[in-house]
């Protein structure tokens, strides 16, 4: 899976949970930049990404996830160690 | 010794130690004492002696915790006002208590008609003063408001005498002993009475309190604090474990001494797994309505597989030594036999003297009964329990959750238990709900990925439950809806089932 494909799937996960596409995801994007991205929806987004990419995040990764860049790094790591 | 005197000495004797860790910053007992003293000064300068019930905006900062002690040392009660809940509800609360003053540490200005706000941040420094003012034990230490069925929040006043009773019980008990070296989790809103145990107990022993950062995802933060600061005492609601459960294999916290629970059903299968994460901890399942000052008793989990329970839910054990439990049936008759279910009623020095200005509710919720030749005042908890032959109590459900379907009495916990035998490691909540045709049916909400079809589950249940107990609807959700206290939001579940 290349980066473009990962980014597309991440965007799709956000859109399907938040039910809008009114945002852009750069490495610096955090929850306060995206409408509706808060603690409950965050968990839904995480499970959606896990399902779409067939990966399982570690609690340690989730706990240190502060922006989209962290999320992308965690995804890469999970895909590489699979 | 009175609780207030004990607090005074505990703070004064531990000035060099760390008291709080809030939003990444440490505060020593000296810092804490200085904040308390500054706020006392402000209270003395502004609030008349006769004003006893003071609103407190519950922010996650040192000033808010210091305000509680400042109010207590001044012989006053705090009424927690959570800025995250609707303004109109907070307004109703302050109107009910006729509170003329409100303490607020945040820069965000909150004003209520008729009350004066005292800003507790950036007050002038002053010498440490922890000497309590004169007060009587029957005066209130706090009033918590819970949702009332009529829509008006109902107030539960807890006196200093109630609190003394509660602290004496925790003190007496060797299975929950704290030391100055302990690092304790405080994950609760101050509007939730479990918080009284999680901030007050550590303060009495010079231990340090770690609060959850504001706006964070609660169970991530619990884990982060646990690993970063090697917490030794974890007080949690059971729902936190449901959320952490998929990650249990990553958690190894050998330093944890005590893992205590309150505020919901504690399931034995989760605890069995959780115990492996905290192999050296005692696990205590506390029980207690707000009306009886935080906890009224507990059950110690036994990892040797001898744990008592009912429907997979761990027992709530026996009452504290100063309290009496009894069970009554629908006609308010005391149930003498064991193994028979009834409403749990509690008497003793921790029981509130009644709901705030609500005689109608008080008449329904309290009654006098003669126990061992002595008249005692009992509080009806609304919890359905049974007692075994050794005097341990099993929690079944809220009485309100014992529903009637087609004339049959159904305990929702029994349905949840039956499903858990078929689907392992999921949170399962059964509930009655109103269909579009205005009929009452039973539905079930299950967390996580759907691995069995609804038909498979229903077919399985048909073999183990009478047909009137088999749910008509099963819905899978990513996670259970929770309220502000982290408890399962039953109304939300009924909504999910109804759509």
């Amino acid at each position: 899976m290349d980066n473009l494909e990962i980014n597309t799937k991440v965007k799709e996960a956000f859109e399907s949970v938040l039910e809008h596409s009114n945002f852009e995801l750069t490495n610096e994007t955090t929850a306060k930049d995206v409408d509706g991205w808060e603690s409950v929806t965050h968990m839904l987004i995480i499970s959606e990404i896990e399902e779409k990419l067939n990966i399982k995040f570690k609690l340690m990764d989730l706990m240190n996830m502060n922006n989209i860049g962290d999320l992308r790094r965690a995804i890469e790591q999970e895909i590489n160690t699979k | 010794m009175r609780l207030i005197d004990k607090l005074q000495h505990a703070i004064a004797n531990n000035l060099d130690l760390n008291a709080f860790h809030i939003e990444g910053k440490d505060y020593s007992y000296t810092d804490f004492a200085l904040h308390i003293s500054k706020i006392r000064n402000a209270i003395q300068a502004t609030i008349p002696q006769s004003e006893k019930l003071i609103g407190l905006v519950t922010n996650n900062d040192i000033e808010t915790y210091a305000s509680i002690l400042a109010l207590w040392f001044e012989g006053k009660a705090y009424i927690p006002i959570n800025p995250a809940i609707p303004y109109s509800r907070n307004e109703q609360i302050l109107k009910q208590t006729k509170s003329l003053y409100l303490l607020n540490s945040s820069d965000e200005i909150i004003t209520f008609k008729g009350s004066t706000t005292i800003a507790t941040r950036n007050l002038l420094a002053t010498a440490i003063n922890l000497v309590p003012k004169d007060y009587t034990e029957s005066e209130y230490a706090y009033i918590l408001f819970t949702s009332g069925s009529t829509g008006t929040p109902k107030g539960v006043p807890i006196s200093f005498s109630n609190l003394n009773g509660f602290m004496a019980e925790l003190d007496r008990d060797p299975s929950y002993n704290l030391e100055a070296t302990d690092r304790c989790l405080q994950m609760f809103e101050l509007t939730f009475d479990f918080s009284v145990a999680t901030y007050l107990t550590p303060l009495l022993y010079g231990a340090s309190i770690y609060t959850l950062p504001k706006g964070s995802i609660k169970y991530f933060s619990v884990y982060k604090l646990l690993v970063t600061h090697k917490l030794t005492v974890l007080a949690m609601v059971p729902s936190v474990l449901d959320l952490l459960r998929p990650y249990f294999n990553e958690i190894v916290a050998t330093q944890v001494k005590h893992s205590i629970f309150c505020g919901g059903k504690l399931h034995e299968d989760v605890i069995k797994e959780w115990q492996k994460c905290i192999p050296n901890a005692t696990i205590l399942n506390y029980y207690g309505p707000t009306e009886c000052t935080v906890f009224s008793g507990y059950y110690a989990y036994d990892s040797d597989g001898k744990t008592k329970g009912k429907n997979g839910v761990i027992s709530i054990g026996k009452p504290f030594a100063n309290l009496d439990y009894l069970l009554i049936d629908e006609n308010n008759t005391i149930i003498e036999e064991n193994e028979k279910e009834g409403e749990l009623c509690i008497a003793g020095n921790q029981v509130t003297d009644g709901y705030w200005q609500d005689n109608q509710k008080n008449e329904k919720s309290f009654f006098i009964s003669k126990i061992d030749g002595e008249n005692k005042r009992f509080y009806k908890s609304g919890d359905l329990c049974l007692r075994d032959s050794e005097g341990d109590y099993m929690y079944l459900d809220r009485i309100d959750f014992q529903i009637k379907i087609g004339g049959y009495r159904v305990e929702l916990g029994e349905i949840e238990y039956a499903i858990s035998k078929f689907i392992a490691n999921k949170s399962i909540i059964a509930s009655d709900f109103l269909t579009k045709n205005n009929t009452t049916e039973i539905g079930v909400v299950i967390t996580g990925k759907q691995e069995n079809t609804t038909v498979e589950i229903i077919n399985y249940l048909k073999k183990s439950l009478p047909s009137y107990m088999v749910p008509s609807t099963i819905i899978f959700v990513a996670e259970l809806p929770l309220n502000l206290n982290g408890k399962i939001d039953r109304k939300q579940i009924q909504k999910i089932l109804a759509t």
Side-chain angles (χ1 to χ4, degrees):
Chain A
M1 207 176 310
D2 60 24
N3 277 344
L4 187 67
E5 201 178 337
I6 292 174
N7 287 345
T8 312
K9 291 205 164 164
V10 168
K11 181 105 202 279
E12 281 171 10
F14 272 82
E15 287 176 358
S16 86
V17 172
L18 301 178
E19 294 175 346
H20 70 89
S21 56
N22 196 9
F23 53 86
E24 241 182 287
L25 299 180
T26 70
N27 279 347
E28 282 71 42
T29 307
T30 66
K32 60 176 190 294
D33 305 319
V34 181
D35 255 4
W37 185 10
E38 21 100 330
S39 59
V40 175
T41 48
H42 179 71
M43 285 323 296
L44 297 173
I45 293 166
I46 291 295
S47 8
E48 189 75 21
I49 292 172
E50 287 183 332
E51 198 159 317
K52 274 186 193 290
L53 298 173
N54 193 23
I55 54 171
K56 178 99 180 68
F57 290 112
K58 298 218 167 35
L59 191 50
M60 197 58 97
D61 298 332
L62 293 175
M63 145 185 138
N64 291 320
M65 216 174 264
N66 296 317
N67 56 30
I68 293 293
D70 295 336
L71 173 69
R72 286 179 178 151
R73 268 187 296 280
I75 293 173
E76 273 164 40
Q77 204 179 330
E78 286 308 315
I79 288 178
N80 291 336
T81 54
K82 227 174 40 178
Chain B
M1 197 194 277
R2 302 184 308 179
L3 167 77
I4 293 300
D5 304 320
K6 238 181 131 171
L7 272 171
Q8 177 199 352
H9 292 119
I11 297 169
N13 291 339
N14 292 300
L15 288 174
D16 298 336
L17 300 180
N18 199 46
F20 284 91
H21 180 92
I22 303 174
E23 303 282 359
K25 204 173 163 221
D26 287 321
Y27 299 89
S28 68
Y29 275 90
T30 305
D31 297 331
F32 189 48
L34 286 168
H35 279 290
I36 294 171
S37 310
K38 281 196 284 192
I39 297 168
R40 285 190 76 174
N41 259 1
I43 293 171
Q44 288 167 3
T46 321
I47 307 179
Q49 187 82 21
S50 57
E51 280 305 314
K52 294 288 187 181
L53 310 177
I54 313 298
L56 171 64
V57 180
T58 56
N59 299 304
N60 181 37
D61 54 28
I62 190 75
E63 289 88 353
T64 298
Y65 288 97
S67 295
I68 294 177
L69 288 238
L71 287 169
W72 285 355
F73 287 145
E74 290 295 315
K76 299 183 192 298
Y78 73 95
I79 322 282
I81 295 295
N82 181 351
I85 69 171
Y87 179 87
S88 60
R89 191 185 144 91
N90 283 331
E91 197 174 34
Q92 265 184 330
I93 291 171
L94 291 174
K95 212 169 145 189
Q96 278 196 56
T97 57
K98 297 196 177 69
S99 296
L100 299 178
Y101 295 90
L102 183 73
L103 304 185
N104 185 10
S105 58
S106 110
D107 299 329
E108 217 165 291
I109 298 164
I110 306 176
T111 48
F112 293 93
K113 208 178 149 197
S115 43
T116 307
T117 301
I118 300 176
T120 53
R121 186 160 289 180
N122 305 324
L123 291 169
L124 286 178
T126 174
I128 290 177
N129 172 17
L130 302 173
V131 182
K133 274 236 176 84
D134 273 344
Y135 69 99
T136 48
E137 291 288 294
S138 59
E139 287 185 90
Y140 295 138
Y142 59 82
I143 305 181
L144 297 187
F145 280 80
T146 59
S147 63
S149 48
T150 52
T152 325
K154 59 175 201 245
V156 181
I158 296 298
S159 66
F160 287 104
S161 154
N162 291 146
L163 260 186
N164 278 341
F166 167 60
M167 290 320 302
E169 289 292 348
L170 286 193
D171 232 10
R172 192 202 320 262
D173 191 350
S175 50
Y176 187 49
N177 59 325
L178 298 193
E179 294 163 293
T181 48
D182 277 316
R183 295 174 297 278
C184 314
L185 176 68
Q186 200 306 77
M187 62 169 293
F188 302 113
E189 293 288 344
L190 294 172
T191 42
F192 181 26
D193 78 327
F194 200 173
S195 70
V196 177
T198 50
Y199 73 77
L200 194 51
T201 330
L203 290 179
L204 286 168
Y205 297 92
S208 41
I209 298 162
Y210 289 73
T211 70
L212 288 199
K214 203 180 161 190
S216 63
I217 296 176
K218 279 190 181 163
Y219 62 104
F220 285 176
S221 304
V222 167
Y223 177 66
K224 197 168 185 170
L225 288 174
L226 175 65
V227 294
T228 320
H229 300 286
K230 297 229 168 295
L231 299 188
T232 58
V233 177
L234 302 178
M236 302 188 287
V237 282
S239 60
V240 175
L241 287 193
D242 294 333
L243 295 167
L244 281 175
R245 195 173 192 175
Y247 309 102
F248 275 180
N249 61 356
E250 291 175 50
I251 305 175
V252 189
T254 49
Q255 80 283 358
V256 176
K257 264 171 60 180
H258 300 298
S259 169
I260 70 167
F261 295 91
C262 192
K265 286 183 190 172
L266 192 62
H267 290 273
E268 191 176 356
D269 58 344
V270 186
I271 287 301
K272 227 181 229 168
E273 291 173 35
W274 170 240
Q275 214 243 335
K276 292 178 197 145
C277 306
I278 46 154
N280 301 317
T282 51
I283 299 177
L284 305 178
N285 184 29
Y286 279 96
Y287 165 84
T290 306
E291 287 82 349
C292 304
T293 317
V294 197
F295 305 148
S296 50
Y298 71 89
Y299 184 83
Y301 174 76
D302 181 350
S303 58
D304 298 338
K306 279 176 274 177
T307 296
K308 287 183 187 180
K310 179 85 182 170
N311 293 340
V313 175
I314 295 176
S315 163
I316 55 167
K318 296 180 174 68
F320 288 151
N322 279 332
L323 301 179
D324 286 288
Y325 281 2
L326 58 77
L327 298 175
I328 57 170
D329 66 15
E330 293 140 327
N331 305 317
N332 291 332
T333 312
I334 297 174
I335 300 170
E336 304 286 353
E337 311 98 289
N338 294 325
E339 304 294 346
K340 226 183 134 191
E341 59 192 53
E343 180 175 5
L344 182 62
C345 304
I346 306 164
N349 59 358
Q350 289 176 229
V351 180
T352 174
D353 59 14
Y355 292 105
W356 182 249
Q357 296 177 337
D358 193 343
N359 286 334
Q360 224 176 335
K361 177 102 184 100
N362 287 338
E363 267 167 42
K364 275 192 225 154
S365 306
F366 299 89
F367 65 92
I368 308 276
S369 189
K370 209 169 217 167
I371 301 290
D372 306 325
E374 200 185 322
N375 270 337
K376 291 186 175 176
R377 184 167 153 277
F378 281 86
Y379 163 68
K380 290 167 75 173
S381 70
D383 289 325
L384 194 68
C385 293
L386 60 80
R387 177 183 55 238
D388 73 4
S389 57
E390 293 175 314
D392 280 310
Y393 284 76
M394 313 297 144
Y395 181 88
L396 302 175
D397 238 321
R398 290 289 300 163
I399 290 217
D400 320 344
F401 301 158
Q402 192 190 39
I403 56 168
K404 273 197 173 173
I405 295 279
Y408 290 103
R409 202 200 282 179
V410 173
E411 255 165 56
L412 296 167
E414 207 180 328
I415 301 171
E416 291 161 5
Y417 184 60
I419 298 176
S420 74
K421 293 268 152 194
F422 187 59
I423 311 176
N425 305 332
K426 308 256 191 217
S427 302
I428 302 161
I429 299 294
S431 170
D432 57 334
F433 70 100
L434 218 51
T435 64
K436 287 190 187 85
N437 306 325
N438 259 344
T439 57
T440 303
E441 291 182 8
I442 298 172
V444 173
V445 171
I446 304 174
T447 59
K449 214 186 262 168
Q450 182 165 359
E451 278 151 13
N452 304 89
T453 65
T454 314
V455 178
E456 280 170 346
I457 300 167
I458 287 178
N459 282 341
Y460 169 81
L461 291 176
K462 278 182 180 162
K463 283 182 237 157
S464 56
L465 294 174
S467 61
Y468 61 84
M469 286 179 77
V470 175
S472 64
T473 306
I474 296 178
I475 293 175
F476 283 81
V477 296
E479 60 179 290
L480 294 175
L482 302 178
N483 65 19
L484 276 176
N485 297 340
K487 292 188 186 184
I488 292 157
D489 189 337
R490 295 265 169 182
K491 284 207 178 107
Q492 211 51 46
I493 286 191
Q494 286 177 323
K495 268 190 203 156
I496 294 171
L497 289 168
T499 47

